[in-house]
Amino acid sequence: VVKVESRTVDPAEQQMLKRAQAEGIETIWDRADKMKPCPIGSEGACCRICSQGPCRVPPPKKAKPGEEQKKQAVGVCGATAETIVARNFARMVAAGSAAHTDHARGVAHLFKEVAHGRAPGYELKDAGKLRAIARDYDVPLSVGEGDDKKSRSKEEIAQDLAEKVLAEFGQQSGELVFSSKRAPKKRVELWRGLDVMPRGFDREVVEIMHRTHMGVDQDYKNIIHQCTRCAISDGWGGSMLATELQDVLFGTPVPVLGDSNLGVLKEDHVNVIIHGHEPLLPELINAASQDPEMLEYAKSKGAKGIQLAGICCSANEILMRHGIPVAANFLGQELAIITGAVDAMVVDVQCQFQALASLVKCFHTKLITTDERGRIEGETMYIPFDDHHGPEIARKVLKEAIDNFPNRRAPVIIPEQKYPCVVGFSMETIRYLLGGSIRGSYYTLNDNIIGGRVRGIGGVVGCNNVRTLHDNAHLSMVKELIKNDVVVLTTGCNAIACAKEGLLTPEAAIKYCGAGLAEVCETVGIPPVLHMGSCVDNARILLAAAACVRAGGLGNDISDLPAAGAAPEWMSEKAISIGHYFVSSGVYTIFSAAWPTTGSEILTDYLFHGLESELGGMWDFELDPVVAAQKMIAHIDKKRAALGIDK
Ligand code: NFS
Ligand code: SF4
């Protein structure tokens, strides 16, 4: 029997893994043990884009002294390792960007329907943010002149804005609005000079697919060039749009207290897990769960109430807007079901194991898919969401969960671990908390960085990866950073790992931080690790970085900031797109767990070193998360020295 401690550092999840072992239930760790990854594929050195292959071009063995060094093989068509590896990397960027942008598309469609009053259950909650976005998109906020000047209603503004936003998906030329207006001036000029300003969301993804088709772009630098344009269209486009429009519809997050880990489930309540990425339906499920009629219905089935809990990025969305507890991150999705306490798991898109469908058959749990793009063979039920019948659909989903409460069969075992967390640090909240009252900007944060109390900023984000000890890299890296006075901005599954460890509380500052950062956290009353949301909310980190630049004192571009980014347990294609837009924005970005381009030394060297002279940011890879953190700190110190604030 495998020791559960070798699989996850989380004691609640270890308990569930023990149960799985005892009852012969298979989890992702068991499947990973059985599945040996293909070494050539993991280096990216395998091409299967045409039927003359697959062609394998692994790096040749190093020649022994006196022997002639063998050349690296090329594909049947002559494609070099550089081309093949770059193509594979590019397709990851395309898929990741497509996921974020297609998420934005759904939000934009809903936004339009809300603006026209055709989407019951929703409203335009944040009028201030609506106007700010409208200004960027040149949508007039008023009509008439002089004495006749009249402000336009929220709905009128939103209707115009929706058209402009939706047009950007199919836009063929020109520039995306956020990319050109929200990035620092110097960055935009750099991008224009390099000809990497994105033209339209869909176009950039399609172009990667075309260029990486057999026999098209066979110059690795040119392939990466298009990766840069596509990644910018994600970070400073699709992801940012998803985040901003969600804020308009559901509210911009402000600090809120929540709970984390499997102990948030309640034996005597109907437990509904919200798992996936798009908060459109979860927002309404939350509203429905507070409906007295629904509560009565739950009681009629013998439950004391309804407990919602999240997994993955939907968890982050509803946690930071409503304080709904988070049960687990990516690798905990099966373990939640293994409690035997989950009456329904509601999924939409992204990061959902197909294995859930067979796992729920060992328990009473209903697996409810809700998105036409994300069906799972063997799902218990499909209740498709649509913009026009949201509240009805949310009630239907909830009713299915309640009806299932009396069907629990396996003994319910809920781990007791449950930790509080303070979340909801949107770019605006950080500005409010760490901004000077006079300047109303990020000046106080900058001032603390210049003064050295805060050494720099670390963005630590991203997935879990079953090939690494679950949550270990996240936690070791974050602790190393805050110990060295680097304030951490977090999203995604890293944020959930930190929540479960108690790092998202102001008290964590005294326990884990260096003296300088601890003092700042204590004065302001914030945790040293600031939860900024889901993975599309990495756009909030970009906006925070742009705000730091604008506040002054730390150079003129994001690449001047003492800042670094990381995804210590990444696994998804989305993570590669995110990483590449951080690099394209001028950030030193380091990944752990695995690196997908080792099949070409030349290409890897270009990503790790060559890009710096073009973009000011570059990729890096380091397996050991503490060493990776030290490399981030070294980069931060390099930037401090360049700014002359070395001490
Ligand atoms: Ni990001 Fe969110 Fe988690 Fe990774 Fe998946 S949930 S969008 S992809 S695994 S952080
Ligand atoms: Fe092989 Fe070239 Fe076809 Fe790729 S495109 S599979 S390298 S022949």
Side-chain angles (χ1 to χ4, degrees), residues 304-319:
K304 287 221 171 95
I306 302 166
Q307 180 64 55
L308 300 188
I311 289 181
C312 285
C313 280
S314 288
N316 288 319
E317 301 276 2
I318 53 181
L319 168 68

Side-chain angles (χ1 to χ4, degrees), residues 243 246-247 251-256 313-324 423-426 531-534 537 540:
T243 291
Q246 283 173 184
D247 280 356
T252 301
V254 294
V256 50
C313 280
S314 288
N316 288 319
E317 301 276 2
I318 53 181
L319 168 68
M320 66 174 178
R321 291 206 181 83
H322 304 289
I324 292 171
V423 303
F425 293 92
S426 54
H531 186 318
M532 295 190 83
S534 65
D537 292 335
R540 298 189 199 276

Side-chain angles (χ1 to χ4, degrees), residues 47-55 74-79 84 87 214-215:
C47 181
R48 44 168 298 272
I49 65 169
C50 94
S51 75
Q52 304 169 99
C55 298
V74 296
V76 169
C77 66
I84 290 172
R87 276 202 293 234
M214 197 276 154

Side-chain angles (χ1 to χ4, degrees), residues 222-291:
N222 206 42
I223 296 171
I224 299 302
H225 181 264
Q226 176 59 15
C227 288
T228 300
R229 182 150 51 189
C230 184
I232 296 170
S233 85
D234 176 353
W236 298 91
S239 284
M240 196 168 284
L241 198 57
T243 291
E244 292 292 86
L245 292 182
Q246 283 173 184
D247 280 356
V248 172
L249 291 169
F250 314 135
T252 301
V254 294
V256 50
L257 188 66
D259 277 316
S260 64
N261 216 335
L262 291 171
V264 304
L265 298 174
K266 291 188 181 137
E267 178 151 15
D268 53 9
H269 279 53
V270 175
N271 291 305
V272 183
I273 293 274
I274 306 287
H275 174 17
H277 284 78
E278 301 187 357
L280 284 54
L281 179 59
E283 280 284 325
L284 297 185
I285 294 178
N286 175 43
S289 73
Q290 288 157 27
D291 182 342

Side-chain angles (χ1 to χ4, degrees), residues 165-176:
V165 158
L166 282 164
E168 281 193 312
F169 287 83
Q171 188 172 292
Q172 300 303 316
S173 54
E175 296 176 350
L176 293 174

Side-chain angles (χ1 to χ4, degrees), residues 19 23 338-341 362-364 407-413:
R19 176 179 193 177
E23 298 182 17
I338 292 173
T339 61
C362 305
F363 296 87
H364 78 301
N407 298 334
R408 289 193 190 167
R409 43 178 202 250
V412 168
I413 303 176

Side-chain angles (χ1 to χ4, degrees), residues 570-582:
W570 81 278
M571 60 88 206
S572 82
E573 293 165 315
K574 289 180 285 173
I576 292 293
S577 181
I578 292 166
H580 202 69
Y581 72 61
F582 272 100

Side-chain angles (χ1 to χ4, degrees), residues 191 201 371 481 491 537 558:
W191 287 340
F201 296 128
D371 192 299
L481 289 171
T491 62
D537 292 335
I558 294 173

